[in-house]
């Protein structure tokens, strides 16, 4: 019972307490404005407590343009309105105020702050249009920051959004308060404010008495200025729209219609297309560092001073969309046409012969029927004239003139050769579709046949009598056809001469006399097999300039058994001179080396055919000798004619010394007369044939016995030019389309790269490395086409298309390097520095596509211009023409070669020394502080002037 009474008593006391609370007025309950301040304070305390690191972990947003500036935001509500408060902070700061740092937020630059708050309404305009509301909002933030003990400046956007107006406040402890205000004039600016003198007086008027003569009073004002100039554009009537030729159906890149000089007229690619200048102009920034100004007259002097007196010059290029435009078809260049050629390769598998693409009515392929129409005959005639046009003839040095050291890794044709020129013209005729290529190829082969039938030398082809096996097969065939045309002409000339001509060099001479021969085109047999490019199949054991068959055992008794009986008359024909000190075995005569026929030249497919025959029949020596029977028989006939008294052993000693085993060492004599005076018992030479040469049934004995004694000039040619020439033309006329296109793709890539390799870009290291890489990349991707082995057609075509993308990036870099070099040829250091920045900016974009917002940002890197480089940069600002001068109405001063700055940015500041304790009495411990009491930032032009003012006061 006692417990129940006690519980009842407690209940009565609680009811009494609640009644007392209901009658109590709680003045701590805040109004809506006070609750708004409390919410702001809570958010700010949270941000202060988190710090920079935790805010980044919680998802702070990077602003991108200022790289180290981040922001966090929070939404607040006051009454019926919602607001967004944003806190901007830097991740790293060295504590130094950099007035003209490009990596600054607009508010940082305008007011000289680092970390700051911005509170704005969540509305379409994002600004406070009501002035009392803006002041009340700023007061709420100021009170909240003061309660937190924070010294963050806070800003509120006001007025119309186009004015970019702000009001702001910053609590600087218990002594000072800093207030901010910014606005702009978006109409005609008063003339007075276009000059430094007027701007100086505007700043001074903010703290000086209005009755004071500002021009005469002395104020120590800190002044710094940044002027931005932009190279003048061409007049509208001088502009050539696009800068890129229109590729018409005729295949003419409208190069003949250009009536004005293009920037790239002397560049190697200008023969094929005109590239848009990737550098449209430059922006020059001149900075006048912190100066102390005492009156407006000094400002007038600075305005009239030369821009060369500025403390710092910074230069940045203005890039064209040519650099960042990745959509196909918008830029014309080798890469765009190579992409079309790859598409033609993909279609080339749909027909058996090139003629099938010309008449598509009989074809069932819809792709062929929808192809672009073939060029008209007039265009074909003009293109063929360009391909076969050759004024001076191609020299061996011309083939290597434009080649890169890695160029031969690609199995194509040299840049200046006939087939390479055909491939380059094929890129630009029509739209490089398969039908246009087929028509051009048919006409090309017809033209080649005309040169063959008329025995006219092929233009753009070397006549050195060799075939370069490192090139594509079509180029090898054209090289061989050139040789056949030359030999065909020689045979025709010989047939037209008198019948007795061939014997005019024959005669009875003494054995020691050198034969006289007019066949200067035949070379000494000791060099017969020293061919640089295409040598015939060598037998085992060859060495030096002669054939040296592998030695084997021999029987001494067979040495003289092979001596053939020769006529006693001494009729020596086709001798090129005495062969060292060697003597013949059966007669006391000196051995003569004959003129011999050149070994038959062969293209790559002929070598492969011969090797397949060797593999099929085995590698026996008898078969190897059979393959070379004609060559061996020709050499034996020539040797017999030059040495009438010679025997088979003499031929072996000269032709294949490895098959002659000597019993004594024959010392060579430096003088032929001294050799004749030697002891007679040293003759005849002692030795024997090797075992294989002395074997019964040796094929060389049979050939020797059957070979007539004929000099090379009277023998049947080893190479039948008529037969080989017709075989080459048959190959060209019946070439499978995909075989043609495979060789065209390889040659077109190589020739395009060799053309770009001739670009003068001042030896920029980045481009030198990039060019070497692109050649190796092309060689790796084209190796399947070079071997005529396609593992999978579609896979190879996809790889080639990716190669076109890589080639396009390199092509753009080369054009960019050429543009930079020609503009800064006199200052290579500046040229290299600017291109280095551009290269580092562009290289990350070099992929199959450009994605991501980071890659889309504009280039804004600046390079400092040294004193010795300023004149070159100043020359980019030529004096305005009369047509440009009349347009100028108002002058802002600070002219550079007569050009006004497109923008001025000026900072005025006033500093005062104040005591640290404003409310306390003076004491020895009171320290003095240098406070920026007034700061004014001004930027803009004659029609757009923005002013931002900050004032520090003692509250």
């Amino acid at each position: 019972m006692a417990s129940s009474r006690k519980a009842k008593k407690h209940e009565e006391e609680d009811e009494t307490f609640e009644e007392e609370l209901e009658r109590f007025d709680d003045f701590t309950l805040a109004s809506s404005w006070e609750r708004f301040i409390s919410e702001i304070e809570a958010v700010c305390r949270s941000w202060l407590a988190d710090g920079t690191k935790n805010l980044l972990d919680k998802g702070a947003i990077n602003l991108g343009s200022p790289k180290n500036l981040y922001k966090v935001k929070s939404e607040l509500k006051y009454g019926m309105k919602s607001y967004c408060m944003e806190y901007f902070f830097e991740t790293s700061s060295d504590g130094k105020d950099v007035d003209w740092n490009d990596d600054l937020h607009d508010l940082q630059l305008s007011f000289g702050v680092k970390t700051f708050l911005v509170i704005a309404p969540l509305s379409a305009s994002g600004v406070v249009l009501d002035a009392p509301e803006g002041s009340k909002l700023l007061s709420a933030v100021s009170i909240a920051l003061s309660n937190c003990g924070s010294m963050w400046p806070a800003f509120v956007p006001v007025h119309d959004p186009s004015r970019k107006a702000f009001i702001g406040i910053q609590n600087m402890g218990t002594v000072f308060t800093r207030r901010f205000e910014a606005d702009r004039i978006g109409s005609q600016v008063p003339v007075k404010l276009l000059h430094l003198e007027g701007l100086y007086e505007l700043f001074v008027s903010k703290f000086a008495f209005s009755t004071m003569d500002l021009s005469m009073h002395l104020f120590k004002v800190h002044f710094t200025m940044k002027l931005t100039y932009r190279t003048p554009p061409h007049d509208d009537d001088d502009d050539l729209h696009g800068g890129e030729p229109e590729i018409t159906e005729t295949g003419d890149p409208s190069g003949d219609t250009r009536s004005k000089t293009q920037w790239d007229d002397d560049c190697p690619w200008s023969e094929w297309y005109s590239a848009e200048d990737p550098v449209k102009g430059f922006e020059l920034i001149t900075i006048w560092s912190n100066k102390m100004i005492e009156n407006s007259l000094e400002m007038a002097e600075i305005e009239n001073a030369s821009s060369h007196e500025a403390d710092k010059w910074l230069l940045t290029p203005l890039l064209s969309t040519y650099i960042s435009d990745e959509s196909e078809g918008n830029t014309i260049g080798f890469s765009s046409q190579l992409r079309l050629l790859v598409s033609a390769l993909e279609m080339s598998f749909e027909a058996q012969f090139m003629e099938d693409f010309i008449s598509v009515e009989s074809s069932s392929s819809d792709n062929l029927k929808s192809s672009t129409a073939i060029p008209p005959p007039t265009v074909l005639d003009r293109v063929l004239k360009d391909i076969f046009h050759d004024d001076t003839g191609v020299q061996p040095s011309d083939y290597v003139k434009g080649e890169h050291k890695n160029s031969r890794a690609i199995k194509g044709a040299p840049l200046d050769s006939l087939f390479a020129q055909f491939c380059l013209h094929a890129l630009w005729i029509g739209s490089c579709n398969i039908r246009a290529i087929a028509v051009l190829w048919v006409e090309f082969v017809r033209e080649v046949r005309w040169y063959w039938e008329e025995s006219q030398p092929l233009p753009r082809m070397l006549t050195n009598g060799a075939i370069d096996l490192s090139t594509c097969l079509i180029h090898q065939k054209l090289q061989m056809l050139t040789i056949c045309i030359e030999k065909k002409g020689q045979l025709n000339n010989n047939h037209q001469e008198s019948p007795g001509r061939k014997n005019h060099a024959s005669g009875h001479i003494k054995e020691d006399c050198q034969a006289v021969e007019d066949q200067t085109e035949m070379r000494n047999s000791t060099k017969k097999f020293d061919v640089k490019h295409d040598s015939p199949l060598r037998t085992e054991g060859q060495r030096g300039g002669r054939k040296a068959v592998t030695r084997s055992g021999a029987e001494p008794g067979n040495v003289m058994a092979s001596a053939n009986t020769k006529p006693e008359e001494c009729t020596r024909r086709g001798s090129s001179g005495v062969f060292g000190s060697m003597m013949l075995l059966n007669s006391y005569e000196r051995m003569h080396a004959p003129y011999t026929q050149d070994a038959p030249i062969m293209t790559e497919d002929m070598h492969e055919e011969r090797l397949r025959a060797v593999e099929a029949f085995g590698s026996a020596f008898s078969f190897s000798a059979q393959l070379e029977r004609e060559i061996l028989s020709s050499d034996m006939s020539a040797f017999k004619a030059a040495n009438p008294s010679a025997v088979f052993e003499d031929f072996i000693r000269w032709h294949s010394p490895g098959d002659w085993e000597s019993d004594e060492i024959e010392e060579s004599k430096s003088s032929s007369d001294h050799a004749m005076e030697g002891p007679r018992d040293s003759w005849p030479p002692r030795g024997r044939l090797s075992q294989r040469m002395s074997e019964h049934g040796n094929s060389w004995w049979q050939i020797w016995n059957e070979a007539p004694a004929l000099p090379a000039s009277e023998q049947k040619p080893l190479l039948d030019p008529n037969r080989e020439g017709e075989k080459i033309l048959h190959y060209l006329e019946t070439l499978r389309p995909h075989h043609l296109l495979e060789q065209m793709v390889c040659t077109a890539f190589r020739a395009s790269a060799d053309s770009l390799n001739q670009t003068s870009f001042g030896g920029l290291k980045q481009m030198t490395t990039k060019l070497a890489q692109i050649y190796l990349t092309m060689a790796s991707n084209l190796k399947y086409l070079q071997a005529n082995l396609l593992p999978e057609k579609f896979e190879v075509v996809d790889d080639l298309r990716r190669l076109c993308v890589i080639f396009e990036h390199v092509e753009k870099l080369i054009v960019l390097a050429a543009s930079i070099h020609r503009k800064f040829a006199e200052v290579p250091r500046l040229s290299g520095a600017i291109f280095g920045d551009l290269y580092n900016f562009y290289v990350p974009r070099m992929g199959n596509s450009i994605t991501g917002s980071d890659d889309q940002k504009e280039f804004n890197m600046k390079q400092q211009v040294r004193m010795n480089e300023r004149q070159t940069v100043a020359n980019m600002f030529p004096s305005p023409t009369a047509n440009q001068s009349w347009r100028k109405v108002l002058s802002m001063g600070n002219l550079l070669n007569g050009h006004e700055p497109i923008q001025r940015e000026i900072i005025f500041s006033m500093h005062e020394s104040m005591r640290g304790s404003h409310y306390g009495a003076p004491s020895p411990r009171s320290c003095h502080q240098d406070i920026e009491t007034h700061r004014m930032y001004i930027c803009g032009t004659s029609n757009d002037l923005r002013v931002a003012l900050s004032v520090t006061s003692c509250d």
Side-chain angles (χ1 to χ4, degrees), residues 250-268:
T250 62
D252 182 12
S254 64
D256 298 333
T257 61
R258 296 181 299 175
S259 58
K260 300 186 182 297
T261 302
Q262 298 290 315
W263 76 275
D264 60 345
D265 278 347
D266 56 345
C267 293

Side-chain angles (χ1 to χ4, degrees), residues 839-855:
Y839 182 85
N840 295 331
F841 167 77
Y842 185 75
V843 163
R845 299 166 171 260
M846 294 179 63
N848 292 335
S849 61
I850 292 181
T851 57
S853 58
D854 291 342
D855 291 337

